[in-house]
Every structure is written in structure tokens, then in C-alpha cells.
Amino acid sequence: MGILWMVIVGAIAGFLAGQIFQGYGFGLLGNIAVGIVGALIGGFLFGGVFVVGGMLGQIISATIGAIILLFIISLVKR
């Protein structure tokens, strides 16, 4: 169940980050990968910062982490 939960949160976070950070959508599998890596980044940076727990807090931190990752990717592609 943990891996399935990670894929679901990763897909949602990757999709949201792709919508917020225009021009860097990677398709379904790419968005899931970006969301999962973003969740790792967000979890590392924001550990227990968000008061909202559960799925919403995980999606928020994963989305912020994915946006940071997409920003770094955009800098590297230049």
C-alpha cells in the first residue's frame, strides 16, 4: 500500500507542478517520477512544517518539491 500511495501522491504532485510551472510537462510517467522526487525534496525541506497532515500535507510538500525540481531542470537545460 505504501508504494501505491507514493505513486498516487507523486502523480498528483507532478501534475500540479507541471500546471504551475508551465512548459515542463513530462507525460504521465514523467510527472509521476517528478512528483516522487519532488516528494523526497519536499519531505527533506519541509519535514513537519505543514500543520495540515495526511494526504493534503503530503501533496502540498510534494508539489513544492516538484516545482523546485522543475526550476532546477529549467536552469540546467539553459
Side-chain angles (χ1 to χ4, degrees), residues 17-75:
Q19 295 299 312
I20 293 170
F21 203 85
Q22 291 293 326
Y24 284 93
F26 294 107
L28 179 63
L29 293 177
N31 283 346
I32 290 173
V34 166
I36 291 172
V37 174
L40 293 173
I41 293 170
F44 177 73
L45 293 176
F46 303 113
V49 172
F50 292 110
V51 177
V52 179
M55 188 167 130
L56 185 60
Q58 290 176 355
I59 291 173
I60 291 170
S61 65
T63 302
I64 293 171
I67 290 170
I68 292 169
L69 177 65
L70 289 176
F71 177 72
I72 293 169
I73 289 172
S74 71
L75 291 177

